Amino acid sequence: MIRFDGRVAVVTGAGAGLGREHALLLASRGAKVVVNDLGGSVSGEGGNSSAADKVVAEIKAAGGEAVANYDSVATREGGAAIIQTALDSFGRIDILICNAGVLRDKSFAKADLDDFEFVFGVHYFGTLYCAHAAWKHMNAQGFGRIVFTTSIAGTSGNFGQSNYGSAKLGMVGLMNTLAIEGQKNNVKVNCISPGALTRMTGNLGMDEDFMAKLKPGLVSPAVAYLCSEECDVSGATITAAAGGFGRVHMFETRGVQFDPAKGVTIEQVAERFDDITDLTRADPCTPGAEGKIQERLDSLAR
Ligand code: NAI
């Protein structure tokens, strides 16, 4: 059985929805949990300590250990204070699940730049601030598991979600580099791309039978696995919804190589554009920065 005894976990936005389920599952398997939530509305207004307090009470009632934290992830001080709560209460930080989130949907034609900054503040910077505060502790102790919460709105795009989607894909970029930098110290960084019926998705007008299958607790087993000692994957984005799981990844096509010594014309690119973009011949291109440059140059010599 996969367990988390002796491990200390921080779950942001754990007062409701997916974060609550992640926190309950980790605690039920022995983790000590910091339940962070500022208790605001879906669009990020207001605040209330009761959301986090209720989940702490649930964990304790089930025999687990947890403390609440009410800081916002969206400030540097907040991110640092959330991680400090784990250190002060339980003496270490092993697991970080960056889950806190808000929505301010609008088509790009009507986009409000204040909304962009607000949404980036919670999703991208909130993830960054918490990960940054936890990073040195995890690397120093030679163990860490971090899960960021991305979205299909970022990896695939979704009408009306330009602010949210771009913030969600930003954290995939952060993961790609942290997965490389954390490797030598057994710090693994992955993303979950969930689908679940929560207050965030409850009014999207989806079919009722379909919505009934989207239980948030069906996402948490994948998140918990990514947080476990048993997980040796880093830099993966796992999709999870209604008990179905998969992986989303960046690929680069095999493409085309012209002779760099002879230069390349616009017409050559146009002529070979179908081959350049042919997705039937593509390979994963992360982790690592080089891509296919050397491989294509080598093909010239053959
Ligand atoms: P939710 O609205 O039930 O939970 C989000 C929680 O984050 C709330 O309890 C809220 O108070 C908290 N929060 C918001 N701003 C915060 C801040 N600045 N600091 C601390 N806590 C804050 O929504 P849900 O669905 O559980 O979302 C969890 C995560 O999953 C979010 O990042 C969301 O974007 C992501 N997601 C959810 C999907 C779904 O189908 N429900 C799909 C794709 C991604």
Side-chain angles (χ1 to χ4, degrees):
M1 185 188 266
I2 292 180
R3 291 199 52 94
F4 300 90
D5 302 297
R7 297 291 180 203
V8 175
V10 165
V11 186
T12 71
L18 287 158
R20 171 179 166 274
E21 296 288 347
H22 305 337
L24 291 173
L25 181 58
L26 289 182
S28 75
R29 295 288 182 100
K32 297 173 183 140
V33 182
V34 175
V35 176
N36 157 263
D37 207 300
L38 55 53
S41 67
V42 173
S43 57
E45 272 102 20
N48 190 329
S49 61
S50 68
D53 287 342
K54 264 175 75 182
V55 176
V56 169
E58 277 185 88
I59 290 173
K60 287 186 172 163
E65 279 188 72
V67 292
N69 170 285
Y70 318 113
D71 287 298
S72 171
V73 296
T75 66
R76 293 182 187 191
E77 299 72 28
I82 293 165
I83 301 304
Q84 195 59 44
T85 300
L87 301 173
D88 292 345
S89 308
F90 302 125
R92 53 188 293 130
I93 167 79
D94 300 291
I95 293 165
L96 169 63
I97 301 172
C98 295
N99 164 84
V102 291
L103 279 187
R104 297 226 172 150
D105 292 355
K106 269 182 202 143
S107 70
F108 195 55
K110 297 183 186 144
D112 177 333
L113 296 180
D114 288 340
D115 285 345
F116 259 83
E117 288 179 14
F118 186 78
V119 168
F120 265 75
V122 176
H123 287 283
Y124 180 77
F125 286 102
T127 293
L128 169 70
Y129 296 147
C130 294
H132 187 257
W135 193 248
K136 56 183 179 295
H137 302 287
M138 291 180 172
N139 279 276
Q141 74 199 5
F143 180 88
R145 296 289 182 268
I146 300 179
V147 178
F148 297 157
T149 307
T150 185
S151 168
I152 196 169
T155 56
S156 302
N158 195 24
F159 192 95
Q161 295 201 304
S162 55
N163 56 25
Y164 176 81
S166 46
K168 286 300 202 188
L169 202 54
M171 61 180 70
V172 177
L174 182 63
M175 170 191 75
N176 286 337
T177 287
L178 298 194
I180 293 168
E181 294 187 7
Q183 200 62 33
K184 67 177 185 303
N185 292 323
N186 190 23
V187 180
K188 316 280 188 204
V189 188
N190 292 288
C191 282
I192 190 81
S193 180
L197 177 61
T198 65
R199 66 175 195 168
M200 196 181 261
T201 50
N203 57 1
L204 297 183
M206 289 182 284
D207 173 75
E208 267 187 30
D209 283 351
F210 178 64
M211 286 197 327
K213 297 191 174 84
L214 290 173
K215 296 186 181 74
L218 292 172
V219 172
S220 304
V223 173
Y225 173 68
L226 295 172
C227 294
S228 69
E229 282 172 38
E230 285 79 357
C231 173
D232 63 0
V233 169
S234 201
T237 298
I238 304 301
T239 58
F245 302 91
R247 181 177 186 177
V248 179
H249 206 79
M250 292 273 200
F251 283 67
E252 185 176 0
T253 64
R254 197 174 305 166
V256 166
Q257 180 69 53
F258 302 108
D259 185 347
K262 291 185 183 154
V264 181
T265 65
I266 303 172
E267 288 71 24
Q268 278 178 297
V269 173
E271 235 166 68
R272 299 295 304 280
F273 203 68
D274 284 351
D275 293 326
I276 291 170
T277 57
D278 179 7
L279 286 170
T280 61
R281 299 186 311 161
D283 301 299
C285 60
T286 63
E290 194 184 76
K292 286 192 170 300
I293 299 172
Q294 191 58 51
E295 203 179 309
R296 288 203 192 103
L297 285 169
D298 291 347
S299 74
L300 270 187
R302 287 200 288 271

